[in-house]
Amino acid sequence: MQRRSRMLENCVGLIFALTFSAAHAAPDAAALYQAHCAACHGSDRFGAIGPALLPDNLGRLGKAGAQAVIRDGRAGTKMRAFKSALDDDSIKALAAYVTAPPATAPVWGRAQIEASRVLTPEPAATKPVYSADPLNLFVVVEGGDHHVSIVDGDSFAPLYRFASRFALHGGPKFTPDGRYVFFSSRDGWVTKFDLWTLKVTAEIRAGLNSRNIALSKDGRHVAVANYLPDTLVILSSVDLSVEKILDVADRNGKASRVSAVYQAPPRDSFVVALKDAPEIWEISTAAQGEPFTLRRIALTTPLDDFFFDPAYLHVLGAHQAGDKAIVVDLDSGEEVATLPLPGMPHLGSGISWTRDGHVVMATPHLKDGRISVIDTTDWKLIAEIPTPGPGYFLRSHDNTPYAWADSSLSPQHRDEISIIDKQSLTLVRTLKPAPGKATAHVEFDRSGKHALVSVMEKDGALIVYDAVTFQEIKRLPMSKPIGKYNVYNKITFSQGTSH
Ligand code: DHE
């Protein structure tokens, strides 16, 4: 009896000790990472839909910054707040984990890039395998189930659908003749697709965490901007073979991530935004002379998210504080104007048009419900058009008097599209294509007579509107259609669309 009660005492003691120590044990950061972060940031922390979570990649964020982002999320991105799911100790442990070097250092150099390349024999073709106008196709990125749809821009009938790499991001880029399109995914894959034969012809993983791609003026080179590693990779557009890898570092040798790369056709160059260095890079793509020569433009502060004036003489870049933009003369390399733009302007979505004989540009904001309109002759802010909430995109076409903007970052107004008169700078109409559902990203057909809008939900849709009467013409069910791109508008560099 005595022995049994002593055993019972020991047992209770053991359970108490285990419970007590479990309650006070340090959180297992690696396990927390796999449970909460790995799906978006990759189980190896090399990045996937979200950026790589590695000290080099996180740059100046630091442990305290990482804790704040895990706790409160990051405005304007997919990073949500974890404060209701994780206690303070777990958040601290996770922040320490992602800001410490991984057991194995990530390496993604020429050997790894080249080994990833997949080539598919290209079927011979002298014309498209369909009768639709190949220059009036829409390429639609469906993020819900990671597919791409090709839609006829006259009948609005879907022609073809194929599985893409995970989490495509940014605008696909087209060869000047409109035959081939290149996609990039957040985890570094570049895909070449033939719009005549409707076949993927080549793929390569050019980085572990990539931002976007750009095609050279002649369509012969594809540049890939990477966050991880700190490289700009230049590929041949023919077979995606590696032509050059530039290690990106400032003039003192300090490495920098690449925010984005842009094609600048009138300059026959790529223009590169550096995330961690006060420099803009211009890389020549001219067929003559030394290939890919680098010119550094020194800045007073790092700038990213660029808008170019139509002649590509100036670039407007967002200050990383999100409250102003700086205009740089690309020929002289001088900073020629500073504009107060509180609200985190999304300059990459900027568009331009002519008003009162001047070229104006307009940009939405990621944190404020307004469209800022700027005169590009003197870089003065000429109007602030209120919208129901912050949004990502703005679109127009040379043949329409209107620009269409979303408010998809506003919890209350995410389903609204604002239609703005480009001359009076007033709101003329609000559309609610799918009440309660996030709606954003508009693209016009080749003629400018129709506007296609995305209902960006898993059970979403691509909605075709008459761009004059604003009446709905057709609704195609799609899985979270994100961006859609009209071949003609892209290859002609229409002022109403992003480039
Ligand atoms: Fe994008 C373009 C950066 C979040 C959908 N986005 C771009 C470009 C850049 C950029 C630099 C221009 C590349 C190009 O087209 O060549 N995006 C960023 C960010 O820094 C940001 C705010 C945070 C991040 O997660 O990286 C961000 N973007 C998003 C989204 O959450 C969106 C809405 C959905 C998604 O799939 O990620 C999104 N971004 C897009 C789209 C474009 C884009 C659809 C192309 C617009 C176009 O019409 O050309």
mmCIF file of all heavy atoms in Angstrom, residues 49 51 75-78 167-173 186 211-214 227 259-262 305 346 348-349 366 392-393 395 441-442 456 480 482-485 490 497-499, ligand 1:
data_model
loop_
_atom_site.group_PDB
_atom_site.id
_atom_site.type_symbol
_atom_site.label_atom_id
_atom_site.label_comp_id
_atom_site.label_asym_id
_atom_site.label_seq_id
_atom_site.Cartn_x
_atom_site.Cartn_y
_atom_site.Cartn_z
ATOM 1 N N ILE A 49 6.626 31.679 -52.477
ATOM 2 C CA ILE A 49 5.737 32.814 -52.786
ATOM 3 C C ILE A 49 6.180 34.050 -52.005
ATOM 4 O O ILE A 49 6.058 35.174 -52.456
ATOM 5 C CB ILE A 49 4.267 32.442 -52.492
ATOM 6 C CG1 ILE A 49 3.333 33.563 -52.892
ATOM 7 C CG2 ILE A 49 4.053 32.097 -51.032
ATOM 8 C CD1 ILE A 49 1.880 33.199 -52.797
ATOM 9 N N PRO A 51 9.422 36.056 -49.774
ATOM 10 C CA PRO A 51 10.871 36.139 -49.968
ATOM 11 C C PRO A 51 11.633 35.125 -49.123
ATOM 12 O O PRO A 51 11.101 34.594 -48.145
ATOM 13 C CB PRO A 51 11.201 37.561 -49.514
ATOM 14 C CG PRO A 51 10.066 37.957 -48.638
ATOM 15 C CD PRO A 51 8.858 37.216 -49.111
ATOM 16 N N ALA A 75 2.089 45.845 -44.582
ATOM 17 C CA ALA A 75 1.050 46.459 -45.432
ATOM 18 C C ALA A 75 1.406 46.325 -46.903
ATOM 19 O O ALA A 75 2.570 46.463 -47.274
ATOM 20 C CB ALA A 75 0.909 47.938 -45.089
ATOM 21 N N GLY A 76 0.422 46.033 -47.705
ATOM 22 C CA GLY A 76 0.622 45.994 -49.150
ATOM 23 C C GLY A 76 1.233 44.693 -49.636
ATOM 24 O O GLY A 76 1.543 44.568 -50.811
ATOM 25 N N THR A 77 1.468 43.717 -48.744
ATOM 26 C CA THR A 77 2.020 42.429 -49.186
ATOM 27 C C THR A 77 1.138 41.306 -48.658
ATOM 28 O O THR A 77 0.167 41.541 -47.941
ATOM 29 C CB THR A 77 3.449 42.197 -48.651
ATOM 30 O OG1 THR A 77 3.364 41.867 -47.257
ATOM 31 C CG2 THR A 77 4.319 43.425 -48.833
ATOM 32 N N LYS A 78 1.526 40.088 -48.995
ATOM 33 C CA LYS A 78 0.753 38.941 -48.532
ATOM 34 C C LYS A 78 1.115 38.548 -47.100
ATOM 35 O O LYS A 78 0.537 37.634 -46.537
ATOM 36 C CB LYS A 78 1.023 37.743 -49.437
ATOM 37 C CG LYS A 78 0.569 37.990 -50.837
ATOM 38 C CD LYS A 78 0.333 36.681 -51.545
ATOM 39 C CE LYS A 78 -0.252 36.938 -52.905
ATOM 40 N NZ LYS A 78 -1.336 37.911 -52.892
ATOM 41 N N ALA A 167 3.582 30.605 -58.135
ATOM 42 C CA ALA A 167 3.607 32.040 -57.817
ATOM 43 C C ALA A 167 4.341 32.896 -58.853
ATOM 44 O O ALA A 167 5.383 33.483 -58.578
ATOM 45 C CB ALA A 167 4.206 32.268 -56.427
ATOM 46 N N LEU A 168 3.766 32.966 -60.041
ATOM 47 C CA LEU A 168 4.288 33.928 -61.020
ATOM 48 C C LEU A 168 4.028 35.326 -60.463
ATOM 49 O O LEU A 168 3.026 35.549 -59.790
ATOM 50 C CB LEU A 168 3.576 33.782 -62.367
ATOM 51 C CG LEU A 168 3.724 32.450 -63.099
ATOM 52 C CD1 LEU A 168 3.040 32.520 -64.463
ATOM 53 C CD2 LEU A 168 5.188 32.054 -63.269
ATOM 54 N N HIS A 169 4.916 36.248 -60.761
ATOM 55 C CA HIS A 169 4.715 37.623 -60.279
ATOM 56 C C HIS A 169 5.276 38.603 -61.300
ATOM 57 O O HIS A 169 6.240 38.303 -61.988
ATOM 58 C CB HIS A 169 5.399 37.811 -58.912
ATOM 59 C CG HIS A 169 5.307 39.224 -58.412
ATOM 60 N ND1 HIS A 169 6.402 39.944 -58.028
ATOM 61 C CD2 HIS A 169 4.243 40.043 -58.245
ATOM 62 C CE1 HIS A 169 6.019 41.146 -57.638
ATOM 63 N NE2 HIS A 169 4.717 41.239 -57.756
ATOM 64 N N GLY A 170 4.661 39.787 -61.356
ATOM 65 C CA GLY A 170 5.112 40.818 -62.291
ATOM 66 C C GLY A 170 4.551 40.543 -63.676
ATOM 67 O O GLY A 170 3.983 39.479 -63.945
ATOM 68 N N GLY A 171 4.716 41.524 -64.544
ATOM 69 C CA GLY A 171 4.174 41.365 -65.887
ATOM 70 C C GLY A 171 5.026 40.428 -66.719
ATOM 71 O O GLY A 171 6.254 40.536 -66.704
ATOM 72 N N PRO A 172 4.397 39.494 -67.466
ATOM 73 C CA PRO A 172 5.172 38.709 -68.428
ATOM 74 C C PRO A 172 5.720 39.645 -69.501
ATOM 75 O O PRO A 172 5.161 40.721 -69.734
ATOM 76 C CB PRO A 172 4.149 37.741 -69.028
ATOM 77 C CG PRO A 172 2.860 37.995 -68.372
ATOM 78 C CD PRO A 172 2.975 39.182 -67.487
ATOM 79 N N LYS A 173 6.797 39.259 -70.155
ATOM 80 C CA LYS A 173 7.425 40.142 -71.140
ATOM 81 C C LYS A 173 7.391 39.460 -72.517
ATOM 82 O O LYS A 173 7.611 38.251 -72.613
ATOM 83 C CB LYS A 173 8.871 40.448 -70.729
ATOM 84 C CG LYS A 173 8.964 41.119 -69.349
ATOM 85 C CD LYS A 173 8.369 42.505 -69.360
ATOM 86 C CE LYS A 173 8.021 43.175 -68.073
ATOM 87 N NZ LYS A 173 8.313 42.756 -66.806
ATOM 88 N N ARG A 186 8.228 33.971 -58.328
ATOM 89 C CA ARG A 186 8.894 34.553 -57.161
ATOM 90 C C ARG A 186 10.098 33.715 -56.735
ATOM 91 O O ARG A 186 11.025 34.228 -56.139
ATOM 92 C CB ARG A 186 7.907 34.707 -56.003
ATOM 93 C CG ARG A 186 6.916 35.850 -56.230
ATOM 94 C CD ARG A 186 6.188 36.148 -54.942
ATOM 95 N NE ARG A 186 5.162 37.159 -55.121
ATOM 96 C CZ ARG A 186 5.292 38.432 -54.753
ATOM 97 N NH1 ARG A 186 6.410 38.840 -54.195
ATOM 98 N NH2 ARG A 186 4.305 39.284 -54.927
ATOM 99 N N ARG A 211 12.693 39.006 -58.460
ATOM 100 C CA ARG A 211 11.723 40.105 -58.437
ATOM 101 C C ARG A 211 10.962 40.204 -59.750
ATOM 102 O O ARG A 211 9.755 40.288 -59.765
ATOM 103 C CB ARG A 211 12.454 41.423 -58.184
ATOM 104 C CG ARG A 211 13.108 41.483 -56.840
ATOM 105 C CD ARG A 211 12.092 41.545 -55.750
ATOM 106 N NE ARG A 211 11.397 42.828 -55.755
ATOM 107 C CZ ARG A 211 10.294 43.058 -55.061
ATOM 108 N NH1 ARG A 211 9.746 42.120 -54.340
ATOM 109 N NH2 ARG A 211 9.728 44.249 -55.103
ATOM 110 N N ASN A 212 11.705 40.252 -60.853
ATOM 111 C CA ASN A 212 11.019 40.399 -62.143
ATOM 112 C C ASN A 212 12.016 40.163 -63.276
ATOM 113 O O ASN A 212 13.208 39.891 -63.028
ATOM 114 C CB ASN A 212 10.364 41.776 -62.264
ATOM 115 C CG ASN A 212 11.357 42.862 -62.606
ATOM 116 O OD1 ASN A 212 12.507 42.809 -62.205
ATOM 117 N ND2 ASN A 212 10.917 43.862 -63.361
ATOM 118 N N ILE A 213 11.522 40.264 -64.495
ATOM 119 C CA ILE A 213 12.384 40.114 -65.669
ATOM 120 C C ILE A 213 12.146 41.283 -66.624
ATOM 121 O O ILE A 213 11.124 41.972 -66.528
ATOM 122 C CB ILE A 213 12.125 38.792 -66.426
ATOM 123 C CG1 ILE A 213 10.632 38.633 -66.757
ATOM 124 C CG2 ILE A 213 12.640 37.607 -65.651
ATOM 125 C CD1 ILE A 213 10.332 37.449 -67.663
ATOM 126 N N ALA A 214 13.089 41.486 -67.524
ATOM 127 C CA ALA A 214 12.909 42.487 -68.587
ATOM 128 C C ALA A 214 13.533 41.921 -69.851
ATOM 129 O O ALA A 214 14.499 41.149 -69.789
ATOM 130 C CB ALA A 214 13.588 43.796 -68.205
ATOM 131 N N TYR A 227 16.631 38.899 -55.631
ATOM 132 C CA TYR A 227 16.832 39.258 -54.220
ATOM 133 C C TYR A 227 17.834 38.291 -53.600
ATOM 134 O O TYR A 227 18.551 38.627 -52.689
ATOM 135 C CB TYR A 227 15.507 39.121 -53.477
ATOM 136 C CG TYR A 227 14.802 40.413 -53.151
ATOM 137 C CD1 TYR A 227 15.136 41.612 -53.764
ATOM 138 C CD2 TYR A 227 13.760 40.431 -52.222
ATOM 139 C CE1 TYR A 227 14.471 42.779 -53.457
ATOM 140 C CE2 TYR A 227 13.090 41.594 -51.905
ATOM 141 C CZ TYR A 227 13.448 42.766 -52.522
ATOM 142 O OH TYR A 227 12.778 43.924 -52.215
ATOM 143 N N SER A 259 16.008 45.303 -56.756
ATOM 144 C CA SER A 259 14.549 45.495 -56.591
ATOM 145 C C SER A 259 13.799 45.134 -57.862
ATOM 146 O O SER A 259 12.730 44.538 -57.803
ATOM 147 C CB SER A 259 14.221 46.949 -56.292
ATOM 148 O OG SER A 259 14.617 47.281 -55.018
ATOM 149 N N ALA A 260 14.339 45.560 -58.993
ATOM 150 C CA ALA A 260 13.660 45.272 -60.267
ATOM 151 C C ALA A 260 14.554 45.689 -61.422
ATOM 152 O O ALA A 260 15.451 46.511 -61.258
ATOM 153 C CB ALA A 260 12.337 46.030 -60.351
ATOM 154 N N VAL A 261 14.292 45.096 -62.575
ATOM 155 C CA VAL A 261 15.005 45.485 -63.804
ATOM 156 C C VAL A 261 13.951 45.898 -64.831
ATOM 157 O O VAL A 261 12.870 45.309 -64.887
ATOM 158 C CB VAL A 261 15.912 44.335 -64.307
ATOM 159 C CG1 VAL A 261 15.139 43.046 -64.543
ATOM 160 C CG2 VAL A 261 16.654 44.732 -65.584
ATOM 161 N N TYR A 262 14.263 46.930 -65.600
ATOM 162 C CA TYR A 262 13.298 47.469 -66.558
ATOM 163 C C TYR A 262 13.943 47.543 -67.932
ATOM 164 O O TYR A 262 15.141 47.837 -68.049
ATOM 165 C CB TYR A 262 12.864 48.876 -66.145
ATOM 166 C CG TYR A 262 12.282 48.939 -64.752
ATOM 167 C CD1 TYR A 262 13.114 49.098 -63.637
ATOM 168 C CD2 TYR A 262 10.910 48.832 -64.538
ATOM 169 C CE1 TYR A 262 12.588 49.149 -62.359
ATOM 170 C CE2 TYR A 262 10.377 48.887 -63.258
ATOM 171 C CZ TYR A 262 11.218 49.046 -62.169
ATOM 172 O OH TYR A 262 10.702 49.091 -60.901
ATOM 173 N N ASP A 305 10.949 50.792 -57.383
ATOM 174 C CA ASP A 305 9.616 50.964 -57.956
ATOM 175 C C ASP A 305 9.630 52.163 -58.916
ATOM 176 O O ASP A 305 9.304 53.287 -58.535
ATOM 177 C CB ASP A 305 8.600 51.169 -56.822
ATOM 178 C CG ASP A 305 7.188 50.886 -57.292
ATOM 179 O OD1 ASP A 305 7.038 50.414 -58.427
ATOM 180 O OD2 ASP A 305 6.249 51.151 -56.534
ATOM 181 N N HIS A 346 2.823 53.620 -55.730
ATOM 182 C CA HIS A 346 3.161 52.371 -56.432
ATOM 183 C C HIS A 346 3.507 52.748 -57.870
ATOM 184 O O HIS A 346 2.718 52.560 -58.795
ATOM 185 C CB HIS A 346 1.969 51.414 -56.372
ATOM 186 C CG HIS A 346 2.344 50.009 -56.705
ATOM 187 N ND1 HIS A 346 1.491 49.141 -57.328
ATOM 188 C CD2 HIS A 346 3.481 49.314 -56.501
ATOM 189 C CE1 HIS A 346 2.090 47.982 -57.494
ATOM 190 N NE2 HIS A 346 3.293 48.057 -57.003
ATOM 191 N N GLY A 348 5.439 51.716 -60.150
ATOM 192 C CA GLY A 348 5.496 50.706 -61.212
ATOM 193 C C GLY A 348 4.154 50.559 -61.915
ATOM 194 O O GLY A 348 4.075 50.073 -63.042
ATOM 195 N N SER A 349 3.072 50.957 -61.257
ATOM 196 C CA SER A 349 1.743 50.883 -61.876
ATOM 197 C C SER A 349 1.368 52.198 -62.525
ATOM 198 O O SER A 349 0.223 52.380 -62.937
ATOM 199 C CB SER A 349 0.684 50.570 -60.815
ATOM 200 O OG SER A 349 0.868 49.294 -60.312
ATOM 201 N N LEU A 366 -0.173 52.554 -52.139
ATOM 202 C CA LEU A 366 -0.432 51.293 -51.435
ATOM 203 C C LEU A 366 -1.033 51.523 -50.051
ATOM 204 O O LEU A 366 -1.567 50.609 -49.441
ATOM 205 C CB LEU A 366 0.868 50.492 -51.286
ATOM 206 C CG LEU A 366 1.531 50.045 -52.590
ATOM 207 C CD1 LEU A 366 2.873 49.385 -52.330
ATOM 208 C CD2 LEU A 366 0.625 49.093 -53.366
ATOM 209 N N TYR A 392 -3.536 48.799 -55.884
ATOM 210 C CA TYR A 392 -2.274 48.441 -56.543
ATOM 211 C C TYR A 392 -2.116 49.059 -57.933
ATOM 212 O O TYR A 392 -1.027 49.443 -58.324
ATOM 213 C CB TYR A 392 -2.208 46.932 -56.743
ATOM 214 C CG TYR A 392 -1.711 46.127 -55.569
ATOM 215 C CD1 TYR A 392 -2.576 45.314 -54.855
ATOM 216 C CD2 TYR A 392 -0.367 46.157 -55.207
ATOM 217 C CE1 TYR A 392 -2.117 44.541 -53.794
ATOM 218 C CE2 TYR A 392 0.093 45.389 -54.150
ATOM 219 C CZ TYR A 392 -0.784 44.588 -53.449
ATOM 220 O OH TYR A 392 -0.328 43.833 -52.417
ATOM 221 N N PHE A 393 -3.222 49.064 -58.722
ATOM 222 C CA PHE A 393 -3.027 49.250 -60.163
ATOM 223 C C PHE A 393 -3.836 50.410 -60.745
ATOM 224 O O PHE A 393 -4.854 50.817 -60.177
ATOM 225 C CB PHE A 393 -3.416 47.956 -60.906
ATOM 226 C CG PHE A 393 -2.693 46.735 -60.402
ATOM 227 C CD1 PHE A 393 -3.359 45.762 -59.664
ATOM 228 C CD2 PHE A 393 -1.336 46.570 -60.646
ATOM 229 C CE1 PHE A 393 -2.688 44.642 -59.188
ATOM 230 C CE2 PHE A 393 -0.660 45.456 -60.181
ATOM 231 C CZ PHE A 393 -1.336 44.493 -59.446
ATOM 232 N N ARG A 395 -4.909 51.696 -64.931
ATOM 233 C CA ARG A 395 -4.759 51.315 -66.342
ATOM 234 C C ARG A 395 -5.592 52.208 -67.238
ATOM 235 O O ARG A 395 -6.664 52.661 -66.839
ATOM 236 C CB ARG A 395 -5.302 49.905 -66.555
ATOM 237 C CG ARG A 395 -4.342 48.761 -66.605
ATOM 238 C CD ARG A 395 -3.138 48.924 -67.462
ATOM 239 N NE ARG A 395 -2.612 47.627 -67.744
ATOM 240 C CZ ARG A 395 -1.662 47.015 -67.035
ATOM 241 N NH1 ARG A 395 -1.110 47.625 -66.012
ATOM 242 N NH2 ARG A 395 -1.256 45.808 -67.351
ATOM 243 N N HIS A 441 -6.747 45.147 -61.121
ATOM 244 C CA HIS A 441 -5.971 44.939 -62.340
ATOM 245 C C HIS A 441 -6.845 44.896 -63.589
ATOM 246 O O HIS A 441 -7.568 43.938 -63.844
ATOM 247 C CB HIS A 441 -5.086 43.689 -62.274
ATOM 248 C CG HIS A 441 -3.974 43.744 -63.284
ATOM 249 N ND1 HIS A 441 -4.143 43.369 -64.595
ATOM 250 C CD2 HIS A 441 -2.694 44.156 -63.189
ATOM 251 C CE1 HIS A 441 -3.004 43.543 -65.247
ATOM 252 N NE2 HIS A 441 -2.114 44.028 -64.414
ATOM 253 N N VAL A 442 -6.743 45.970 -64.345
ATOM 254 C CA VAL A 442 -7.543 46.144 -65.563
ATOM 255 C C VAL A 442 -6.584 46.133 -66.741
ATOM 256 O O VAL A 442 -5.447 46.596 -66.629
ATOM 257 C CB VAL A 442 -8.275 47.504 -65.492
ATOM 258 C CG1 VAL A 442 -9.066 47.777 -66.763
ATOM 259 C CG2 VAL A 442 -9.180 47.557 -64.263
ATOM 260 N N MET A 456 -10.121 38.856 -57.983
ATOM 261 C CA MET A 456 -8.931 38.113 -57.549
ATOM 262 C C MET A 456 -9.210 37.193 -56.372
ATOM 263 O O MET A 456 -8.673 37.365 -55.275
ATOM 264 C CB MET A 456 -7.841 39.100 -57.133
ATOM 265 C CG MET A 456 -7.071 39.667 -58.287
ATOM 266 S SD MET A 456 -5.629 40.528 -57.685
ATOM 267 C CE MET A 456 -5.215 41.496 -59.118
ATOM 268 N N LYS A 480 -8.485 32.835 -59.182
ATOM 269 C CA LYS A 480 -7.710 34.005 -58.752
ATOM 270 C C LYS A 480 -6.884 34.614 -59.899
ATOM 271 O O LYS A 480 -5.651 34.605 -59.857
ATOM 272 C CB LYS A 480 -6.799 33.648 -57.584
ATOM 273 C CG LYS A 480 -6.365 34.863 -56.814
ATOM 274 C CD LYS A 480 -5.602 34.470 -55.581
ATOM 275 C CE LYS A 480 -5.211 35.723 -54.841
ATOM 276 N NZ LYS A 480 -4.155 35.467 -53.876
ATOM 277 N N ILE A 482 -4.844 37.129 -61.630
ATOM 278 C CA ILE A 482 -4.149 38.295 -61.067
ATOM 279 C C ILE A 482 -3.966 39.298 -62.196
ATOM 280 O O ILE A 482 -4.821 40.128 -62.421
ATOM 281 C CB ILE A 482 -2.824 37.861 -60.405
ATOM 282 C CG1 ILE A 482 -3.144 36.852 -59.297
ATOM 283 C CG2 ILE A 482 -2.124 39.069 -59.787
ATOM 284 C CD1 ILE A 482 -1.970 36.298 -58.597
ATOM 285 N N GLY A 483 -2.879 39.186 -62.951
ATOM 286 C CA GLY A 483 -2.685 40.142 -64.047
ATOM 287 C C GLY A 483 -3.123 39.539 -65.363
ATOM 288 O O GLY A 483 -3.163 38.321 -65.536
ATOM 289 N N LYS A 484 -3.465 40.431 -66.305
ATOM 290 C CA LYS A 484 -3.759 39.994 -67.666
ATOM 291 C C LYS A 484 -3.097 40.995 -68.601
ATOM 292 O O LYS A 484 -3.013 42.189 -68.266
ATOM 293 C CB LYS A 484 -5.274 39.909 -67.920
ATOM 294 C CG LYS A 484 -5.934 41.252 -67.917
ATOM 295 C CD LYS A 484 -7.291 41.221 -67.312
ATOM 296 C CE LYS A 484 -7.262 40.897 -65.854
ATOM 297 N NZ LYS A 484 -6.662 41.999 -65.018
ATOM 298 N N TYR A 485 -2.590 40.516 -69.727
ATOM 299 C CA TYR A 485 -1.710 41.354 -70.545
ATOM 300 C C TYR A 485 -2.093 41.172 -71.996
ATOM 301 O O TYR A 485 -2.152 40.037 -72.488
ATOM 302 C CB TYR A 485 -0.253 40.945 -70.280
ATOM 303 C CG TYR A 485 0.014 40.896 -68.779
ATOM 304 C CD1 TYR A 485 -0.234 39.734 -68.043
ATOM 305 C CD2 TYR A 485 0.442 42.029 -68.101
ATOM 306 C CE1 TYR A 485 -0.059 39.705 -66.665
ATOM 307 C CE2 TYR A 485 0.626 42.011 -66.724
ATOM 308 C CZ TYR A 485 0.372 40.847 -66.013
ATOM 309 O OH TYR A 485 0.539 40.826 -64.645
ATOM 310 N N LYS A 490 1.227 45.604 -75.107
ATOM 311 C CA LYS A 490 2.558 45.446 -74.506
ATOM 312 C C LYS A 490 3.655 45.722 -75.532
ATOM 313 O O LYS A 490 4.617 46.433 -75.229
ATOM 314 C CB LYS A 490 2.719 44.024 -73.966
ATOM 315 C CG LYS A 490 1.914 43.786 -72.722
ATOM 316 C CD LYS A 490 2.504 44.571 -71.585
ATOM 317 C CE LYS A 490 1.557 44.599 -70.424
ATOM 318 N NZ LYS A 490 1.891 45.610 -69.450
ATOM 319 N N THR A 497 -0.567 51.384 -70.261
ATOM 320 C CA THR A 497 -0.273 50.132 -69.568
ATOM 321 C C THR A 497 1.134 50.150 -69.001
ATOM 322 O O THR A 497 1.937 51.016 -69.339
ATOM 323 C CB THR A 497 -0.494 48.935 -70.530
ATOM 324 O OG1 THR A 497 -0.395 47.730 -69.781
ATOM 325 C CG2 THR A 497 0.494 48.895 -71.669
ATOM 326 N N SER A 498 1.415 49.220 -68.092
ATOM 327 C CA SER A 498 2.751 49.150 -67.502
ATOM 328 C C SER A 498 3.699 48.508 -68.513
ATOM 329 O O SER A 498 3.265 47.807 -69.419
ATOM 330 C CB SER A 498 2.710 48.307 -66.246
ATOM 331 O OG SER A 498 2.208 47.044 -66.575
ATOM 332 N N HIS A 499 5.003 48.743 -68.327
ATOM 333 C CA HIS A 499 5.946 48.232 -69.326
ATOM 334 C C HIS A 499 6.890 47.193 -68.744
ATOM 335 O O HIS A 499 7.275 47.253 -67.643
ATOM 336 C CB HIS A 499 6.762 49.385 -69.919
ATOM 337 C CG HIS A 499 5.878 50.425 -70.538
ATOM 338 N ND1 HIS A 499 6.117 51.754 -70.447
ATOM 339 C CD2 HIS A 499 4.715 50.294 -71.236
ATOM 340 C CE1 HIS A 499 5.158 52.421 -71.065
ATOM 341 N NE2 HIS A 499 4.304 51.567 -71.546
HETATM 342 FE FE1 DHE B 1 3.776 43.176 -57.532
HETATM 343 C C1 DHE B 1 4.379 43.984 -60.816
HETATM 344 C C2 DHE B 1 6.793 44.491 -56.683
HETATM 345 C C3 DHE B 1 2.990 42.712 -54.252
HETATM 346 C C4 DHE B 1 0.857 41.630 -58.423
HETATM 347 N N1 DHE B 1 5.277 44.095 -58.558
HETATM 348 C C5 DHE B 1 5.363 44.273 -59.910
HETATM 349 C C6 DHE B 1 6.639 44.833 -60.243
HETATM 350 C C7 DHE B 1 7.342 44.949 -59.079
HETATM 351 C C8 DHE B 1 6.472 44.504 -58.014
HETATM 352 C C9 DHE B 1 8.761 45.489 -58.907
HETATM 353 C C10 DHE B 1 7.102 45.223 -61.630
HETATM 354 C C11 DHE B 1 7.636 43.993 -62.243
HETATM 355 C C12 DHE B 1 7.359 43.861 -63.712
HETATM 356 O O1 DHE B 1 6.192 43.840 -64.105
HETATM 357 O O2 DHE B 1 8.305 43.725 -64.467
HETATM 358 N N2 DHE B 1 4.696 43.575 -55.760
HETATM 359 C C13 DHE B 1 5.899 44.174 -55.660
HETATM 360 C C14 DHE B 1 6.216 44.412 -54.279
HETATM 361 O O3 DHE B 1 7.278 44.917 -53.822
HETATM 362 C C15 DHE B 1 5.024 44.036 -53.481
HETATM 363 C C16 DHE B 1 4.332 45.305 -52.937
HETATM 364 C C17 DHE B 1 5.412 43.157 -52.292
HETATM 365 C C18 DHE B 1 5.865 41.782 -52.687
HETATM 366 O O4 DHE B 1 5.162 40.871 -52.268
HETATM 367 O O5 DHE B 1 6.832 41.632 -53.434
HETATM 368 C C19 DHE B 1 4.148 43.381 -54.542
HETATM 369 N N3 DHE B 1 2.195 42.307 -56.514
HETATM 370 C C20 DHE B 1 2.101 42.202 -55.183
HETATM 371 C C21 DHE B 1 0.901 41.467 -54.801
HETATM 372 O O6 DHE B 1 0.535 41.137 -53.617
HETATM 373 C C22 DHE B 1 0.130 41.206 -56.046
HETATM 374 C C23 DHE B 1 -1.164 42.028 -56.042
HETATM 375 C C24 DHE B 1 -0.306 39.754 -56.222
HETATM 376 C C25 DHE B 1 0.820 38.775 -56.411
HETATM 377 O O7 DHE B 1 0.660 37.900 -57.236
HETATM 378 O O8 DHE B 1 1.854 38.870 -55.755
HETATM 379 C C26 DHE B 1 1.106 41.716 -57.093
HETATM 380 N N4 DHE B 1 2.790 42.888 -59.274
HETATM 381 C C27 DHE B 1 1.599 42.236 -59.427
HETATM 382 C C28 DHE B 1 1.224 42.271 -60.823
HETATM 383 C C29 DHE B 1 2.217 42.961 -61.503
HETATM 384 C C30 DHE B 1 3.209 43.330 -60.502
HETATM 385 C C31 DHE B 1 -0.076 41.688 -61.402
HETATM 386 C C32 DHE B 1 2.273 43.296 -62.985
HETATM 387 C C33 DHE B 1 1.499 44.539 -63.191
HETATM 388 C C34 DHE B 1 1.376 44.894 -64.635
HETATM 389 O O9 DHE B 1 0.260 45.157 -65.033
HETATM 390 O O10 DHE B 1 2.367 44.926 -65.357
#
